[in-house]
Amino acid sequence: MKFWERLGKIDRRIIYIVLAVVVIIPLILTVKLPGKVRAMPRTKDVFDHIENIDPNGKRRSILISVDFDPQTEPELKPQLEAVVRHAFARNIPLLVMALPIQGTDIGIEVFTRLAEEHNKEYGIDYVILGWKPSPVAVILGMGNFIEQVFPTDYWGTPLSELPVMEGIRNYDDVGLVMDFTGSSFYVYWVYYAHTPYDVPVATGVTSVSVADIYPFLGSKQFIGMLAGMKAGAEYERLVKDKYYQDQDIFLRGTQALPALSASLLVIILFVILGNISHFATRRKS
Amino acid sequence: MFFLLLPFLLTQAEVVSPPERSYDPGMDVAVLAGEVDTLQAMLTQVTGNQVEDLEAHMSSMFTRVYTIDSILKVLMEPEELIVEEIQPPANVKVEDVRNDVGNQLVLRWNLSPDDSLLDGYVLYRAVEGKQEFKQIQVLPPGADSTNDNNDLLARMIEYGRDEIASLRRNLPRAKRALPKLKQDAAKFPQADSLVPGIKNNLVAIILGYRRNTVRQFELDMETAKRNAERVQIKIDSLRGEITAEQTEVFTEHVNALASGMVDLQSMVQEDLPPGAAELEALAEETSKLRAKIQGTTVYRVQKLEADLANLEAEIASLESMIANIAFIEEADLEEYAKSRTERMQGLIEDSEGKLLKNRLSYRYKVVAVRGDLQAPSELSAAASPSAQLFHTQRINVLVAMIFFFSLVTFFISQAKRGKNLFLRKIAGLEAIDEAVGRATEMGRPILFVPGLSTIGDIATIAALNILQGIAKKAAQYDTPIIVPNRDPIVYTVAREIVKEAYSDAGRPDAFNPDSVFFITTSQFAYVAAVNGIMLREKPAANFFLGMFWAESLLLAETGNISGAIQIAGTDASAQLPFFITACDYTIIGEELYAASAYLSREPNLVGTIKGQDWGKATIAGLLIVLTVLAMFGIEFAVKLLTTV
Amino acid sequence: MKRRIPLTLTLVLGIVMMIQFFIPHQFSQDFKNTALEWLRVIGGFAFIIGLASFITHHYTKIKHKKEGWAYSPIALGALVVMAVVGLIGRSPNMNWIPVTVQGQQISVFTYLFSNFFTHMMIPLGATMFSVLAFYIASAAYRSFRAKSLVSILLLVAAFVIMLAIIFYNVLPLGDLGEWLLSVPNMAAKRGILLGASLGGIATSLKIILGIERGYLGGTK
């Protein structure tokens, strides 16, 4: 029965190595997923909301707040890119900002790359507002008048000179505030943008924070949520199916999903092994 | 930055310029142009009866009447529509905003019947009993309410003061730096007289106190030149790619757009606008055609050439800027500083004059404006922005607070009278003694992490309360205790606690000041350091109490590897699962707050726990009752618990 | 005496701040802002104490050649270098010792600071964070044992959530995972939150009234 006992006491270093191998291999070999990712309702909610934004209507723009730093980039960047592609495909004007300063650089990198890919022009299709300290003041101020908080864009051009800002004064002209965050910036958007100004807000978060978001979804303070890397892959699928069927676009989340699945599978296997050992040794004793 | 901000602030301050039209006829013309040009483009691509279909479609579209009034108006309006009279807005109502500091009023009015013809509304205000009306705000057509407050004015006053202060500070510095700047600028002999338009800009920049202005310009110039070179290289390489065929395709697309425009103009003259539904559907097609044009190499080259021209213009202007510095005199700086200070003083005075004061009452009028035409509304009733001494919307909070406080004090008095209050067993807290004992037996230290948050976090305070007991026991048993900190204030408090604990235990000499220390405020660097301590010093008991984030498992699992007995406690619900899996005992949420009462059994403290439990029971009961009431649509039930 | 002053301060300011919450008038707002400013100023001073602690801690380590003392000079060196580079490199209009980076002339200090930050701080932080994945695996393996009904429930819930991600296109699993998160999880979360909030209020009250004084060191 020694075998059963040993099964319950596998050295943690073995677990680490197995996990490392299983995560690295799919990333290097770029394993393709069999079948299509099915979008979860919360992801679909966000997608449908953006589908229903009228690019020529009153609430025609999307305000994207890149509130994460490089540490949570792997989980949140796929979501961000998928949403941006969606908005670009529908010609929705995009306003990009960040609450923590690190977000600005990530936003600029993503937008410059995707804009070129989609033939979009800075100032006409999107604007990078940049970063300002003290999140609460920024969010509240924009409810009054966006130019009050950001008189110029990130590079110093007055907003009034940018065609994309035409007719966009405050949250009344924003169809959705989409916040991507690895910490708890989403709370600010609920408390200071949604509650006082009634602008629809959605958030993209890391898997760890997902459980914290549900109370806000229940109270409809968020119109939807993108949860972790998987939601990134789900959203990519939705966007690709509708707008880029015959085009080859880089699906960041979908590409990383096999590694994620494999690592979870490893965890499940080890948990099962541990339980087998638990029952075998218990019966013995 | 200040200079960029200035035009914006000034337009806000003076608000004399007419508001921008919110509806741009050019946009619609462009959309319509797109529509027609798409059809034209489609015509060039198809043959046979498809052409007939399309032509039929086009003509049906042309003959359809507009469905959107605004489009019709825009197409007709620019010159032809002459308006001789406009109606004023009516029924202007002013109301004080309750529960504020007394600096805002809310205004509402009925739109002018001619709203769609207006340039906008101008809001005037006068102090009750006086005739002098001040212009306060300019609002776009369609606005039927606004909030008059002091926010923007206060910011302008602040801005004006900052600007005056910085001018005062910088003028002598700029004067000192000027000879050196002129010397540097003299190396650029291109200009032979001062260009008046540039002068003010330069003076402003020098007064912004940049000692190295010339160097800065040179750097900008170098960058521009480098960029120009790059663009040139790109243009050359792209030109090599262009074939005759590509040029043809490009010309075709551009012509399609252009001819659509011509057709549209003639269409408009003949009053044959297309329908709205087609407009929407075809706008998408237009954008596709535009994207196609933009995708062609020819277009990209054209665009790059424009960029290049811009860069060259920029280089030239920078050169002339530098050269012009040689002509600036100290007197220019003084003069500019003086005029600007005066201007800022004017701005401050003007803004101060417009501030709402909470002892005065005001009357308003709203004037509808179109060009030179003005139609003022009747004066509103007088209203005064009063400040409140009690926030009426927080009554529910006050009631709940009083109720809760009296519950707690009641149970404290009960406990003091010697009534035995039952506390359920909390395993994590029971185990503290065991953990300290084990460390003593093994002769190894105790590690105490008071969370990663600040002293403002209640979890941190609760953790420090537990630290007090643990440190005292450690002092009694002569077991070393290690307390690494992430927050400097928490560090100071923790150190004081441990020190006191040692003197309480009668062994103040045994306190090692190096056992409580500050590491860093960086989250993961802190974790790395604590993990290092766990692996090197091998503490026999680890306490992770307080507020934790993503680092919870990193700490707990390392502690598990080092084989210590671990007790964790936090109110961060997301971190609880990690602690539960990796620690021997976990103190969940409010158990952490109860710890000091539980450990000391002091009646005062135990009483608060009891009060807290009854408070919770009351809330649970209220939630059930109010939910049922709300289900029957009783409104007040929903509002009762709403806080502001 | 040493304890009475802080306790009196806590009591008075605690009650004043409570009353302030109910007064929207300007003087009350001004008071609140002043108090918050004081808080920031005091925080700044505390940082100096923290710095002193850091330096003495490592100094004594080096002096007594304690285990791992060799890392202490590195820590102190890093402190000095980063402080100098940051203080000089992050000041506005800084152009000392310019270097050319991607066609832009910037000060060598600015250059070093951004490099230290993006190529040392961030990867180091990310590395620590990613260790989490391995720790989750080993912790789950060790402690997810079906020992009781409660732990069986936990195990099943965890499996459902994980399998919903692995089998990304199987219908009922995903919906079941969603239900687990939005119903039982949310209920438990709200329960803990409610209890913790009330506990927080009670603790604040205890601190204000001076019943709880453990954080000042000793109950006597």
Side-chain angles (χ1 to χ4, degrees), chain C residues 19-191:
Chain C
I19 296 172
Q20 188 278 328
F21 178 78
F22 294 102
I23 305 177
H25 202 282
Q26 188 69 50
F27 72 81
S28 144
Q29 299 304 319
D30 290 346
F31 172 77
K32 183 180 158 195
N33 291 338
T34 317
L36 290 179
E37 264 166 40
W38 270 90
L39 203 67
R40 281 202 289 272
V41 173
I42 295 169
F45 277 106
F47 203 83
I48 299 174
I49 303 175
L51 195 64
S53 158
F54 181 87
I55 294 168
T56 44
H57 180 76
H58 286 286
Y59 174 71
T60 40
K61 241 179 164 179
I62 298 170
K63 200 173 154 195
H64 299 297
K65 298 244 156 96
K66 281 189 190 171
E67 194 185 348
W69 70 274
Y71 299 114
S72 294
I74 300 177
L76 289 172
L79 174 78
V80 174
V81 171
M82 204 63 189
V84 169
V85 166
L87 282 174
I88 300 176
R90 297 290 281 182
S91 43
N93 286 334
M94 168 48 56
N95 213 0
W96 289 359
I97 324 176
V99 287
T100 311
V101 183
Q102 295 173 344
Q104 296 270 322
Q105 289 245 351
I106 53 169
S107 161
V108 73
F109 293 98
T110 319
Y111 175 68
L112 281 179
F113 182 82
S114 68
N115 262 296
F116 284 157
F117 190 77
T118 40
H119 301 304
M120 288 177 83
M121 285 285 286
I122 290 174
L124 282 171
T127 309
M128 281 308 290
F129 190 53
S130 58
V131 168
L132 205 54
F134 299 96
Y135 280 9
I136 285 176
S138 69
Y141 162 68
R142 205 179 53 245
S143 48
F144 269 10
R145 301 275 153 94
K147 288 176 192 160
S148 62
L149 179 67
V150 181
S151 56
I152 291 174
L153 282 177
L154 186 69
L155 201 61
V156 172
F159 272 29
V160 169
I161 303 280
M162 286 195 281
L163 288 171
I165 296 179
I166 298 170
F167 299 105
Y168 42 83
N169 49 7
V170 182
L171 284 164
L173 259 178
D175 294 339
L176 188 59
E178 170 79 18
W179 179 84
L180 278 173
L181 280 168
S182 59
V183 181
N185 160 66
M186 199 153 92
K189 242 187 161 72
R190 282 185 171 153

Side-chain angles (χ1 to χ4, degrees), chain A residues 160-238:
Chain A
S160 48
E161 285 177 15
L162 297 172
V164 63
M165 290 303 293
E166 208 169 280
I168 301 177
R169 279 165 44 93
N170 53 29
Y171 293 134
D172 290 345
D173 308 307
V174 172
L176 175 69
V177 173
M178 188 74 215
D179 159 62
F180 296 93
T181 180
S183 59
S184 46
F185 281 109
Y186 56 83
V187 181
Y188 291 129
W189 287 107
V190 171
Y191 290 171
Y192 303 110
H194 175 76
T195 310
Y197 299 107
D198 211 26
V199 58
V201 180
T203 186
V205 293
T206 52
S207 309
V208 193
S209 326
V210 170
D212 291 334
I213 306 291
Y214 273 89
F216 295 104
L217 287 169
S219 54
K220 302 251 182 337
Q221 280 164 302
F222 283 128
I223 55 111
M225 163 186 71
L226 303 181
M229 196 188 277
K230 179 161 174 265
E234 290 170 7
Y235 208 98
E236 281 167 359
R237 174 51 57 196
L238 288 172

Side-chain angles (χ1 to χ4, degrees), chain B residues 200-240:
Chain B
N200 265 0
N201 264 336
L202 278 176
V203 171
I205 291 171
I206 295 172
L207 269 175
Y209 191 60
R210 272 164 61 176
R211 257 187 311 191
N212 47 4
T213 307
V214 173
R215 180 74 194 125
Q216 208 76 39
F217 280 144
E218 279 181 290
L219 284 175
D220 291 349
M221 215 157 81
E222 278 166 33
T223 315
K225 278 180 183 160
R226 243 190 328 270
N227 287 342
E229 269 168 40
R230 279 191 201 148
V231 173
Q232 187 62 56
I233 292 168
K234 184 82 190 160
I235 290 176
D236 291 344
S237 83
L238 280 177
R239 270 202 190 126

Side-chain angles (χ1 to χ4, degrees), chain B residues 101 226 391 394 468 518 557 596, chain C residues 21-22 24 53 103 138 212 218:
Chain B
V101 299
R226 243 190 328 270
H391 201 303
R394 287 182 178 166
Q468 184 212 349
F518 166 79
E557 185 69 4
S596 60
Chain C
F21 178 78
F22 294 102
S53 158
S138 69
E212 180 87 87

Side-chain angles (χ1 to χ4, degrees), chain B residues 25 28-29 32 66 70-78 80 264 268 273:
Chain B
D28 278 317
V29 173
L32 289 170
Y66 267 141
S70 57
I71 295 178
L72 180 66
K73 187 164 67 220
V74 165
L75 289 172
M76 301 199 21
E77 193 191 31
E80 296 100 68
L264 177 90
V268 169

Side-chain angles (χ1 to χ4, degrees), chain B residues 9-18 122 135-138 354:
Chain B
L9 283 164
L10 288 179
T11 50
Q12 286 298 311
E14 289 154 12
V15 284
V16 278
S17 55
V122 183
Q135 184 179 321
I136 304 299
Q137 285 178 10
V138 175
K354 282 181 181 170

Side-chain angles (χ1 to χ4, degrees), chain B residues 118-132:
Chain B
L118 296 180
D119 291 337
Y121 298 94
V122 183
L123 183 69
Y124 290 91
R125 182 218 295 153
V127 178
E128 164 84 337
K130 289 189 183 166
Q131 288 308 310
E132 185 201 355

